Amino acid sequence: QQQGIRRAGGPGQGEALSWAESGQVHGVSGLANTTHPKPAGVGCDVAILECRTSMSSLSFVLPSAPGRPRLLALLPCAGLGSRAGTAGPKQYHPLAGQPMVAHTLRALSAVGFDAALLVLAPGDTGVGVALPPGFFQQDCGGPTRADSVLNGLEALALAGADARDWVLVHDAARCLVDAEDVRRLIRTCEHDPV
């Protein structure tokens, strides 16, 4: 059974969104002329005026897993870092000589996901480090973390994810994640229905 997704219009109000529309952001205020600065040589600098997710250029297809649900990861990596006090997005801020996102990728690559999607800001071309095998990126991020997660889920669905698959969401800027903690979480939940 398909359930509707609602966008809040005010206290106690909601506007139903269709599945096809849910990956789009309409009438976003407060983002005009917002820049997305990153260290030189990493991705791009773009102005985010209004994000409309375009999956026509989907850059990946999920691997098949006959007879079992897939274990997928979705890593929002589209934030501007406005609260971090850094010169740019915190996920690209250097820590021990590498962008924070590199440490997150290294830890999560040890978990054993079937695939992982890094959701970048629109126009962002990459994180400045090689992605681990089975990790993909798509520049379908939205103006908020929730929008980026929703757009990433839509991208995973278009790439072949189905209702049986598990998707673990972890913010790319949270680099102190431990692979064993994530595996423990998966073991704890894996027998619950999706």
Side-chain angles (χ1 to χ4, degrees):
Q1 176 181 349
Q2 183 176 357
Q3 296 181 343
I5 300 169
R6 297 205 168 269
R7 171 177 48 219
Q13 299 174 350
E15 173 187 350
L17 300 176
S18 69
W19 175 253
E21 183 190 21
S22 66
Q24 298 180 352
V25 178
H26 300 280
V28 177
S29 62
L31 288 180
N33 300 320
T34 302
T35 59
H36 189 280
K38 294 195 304 187
V42 177
C44 64
D45 292 336
V46 298
I48 301 173
L49 300 176
E50 184 178 43
C51 171
R52 281 194 167 46
T53 303
S54 171
M55 299 300 164
S56 61
S57 61
L58 198 63
S59 62
F60 66 100
V61 176
L62 294 175
S64 63
R68 67 170 180 84
R70 284 174 287 215
L71 180 58
L72 308 172
L74 190 157
L75 291 83
C77 189
L80 299 174
S82 57
R83 296 181 319 231
T86 59
K90 65 184 169 196
Q91 65 269 23
Y92 298 120
H93 189 73
L95 178 67
Q98 292 190 308
M100 281 190 197
V101 64
H103 301 283
T104 305
L105 293 172
R106 185 171 30 267
L108 293 179
S109 68
V111 170
F113 291 106
D114 291 301
L117 175 61
L118 197 63
V119 176
L120 304 177
D124 195 343
T125 58
V127 296
V129 297
L131 295 179
F135 281 58
F136 305 94
Q137 65 186 33
Q138 187 72 32
D139 65 341
C140 61
T144 68
R145 184 179 190 274
D147 293 320
S148 294
V149 170
L150 183 60
N151 292 353
L153 290 171
E154 181 181 87
L156 287 172
L158 291 170
D162 62 42
R164 299 175 310 128
D165 294 336
W166 284 83
V167 177
L168 181 139
V169 177
H170 182 80
D171 195 305
R174 307 293 184 241
C175 63
L176 299 179
V177 62
D178 180 73
E180 183 50 37
D181 289 342
V182 176
R183 285 192 293 265
R184 187 178 318 112
L185 172 67
I186 292 166
R187 286 191 305 270
T188 301
C189 298
E190 69 184 336
H191 298 292
D192 289 342
V194 175

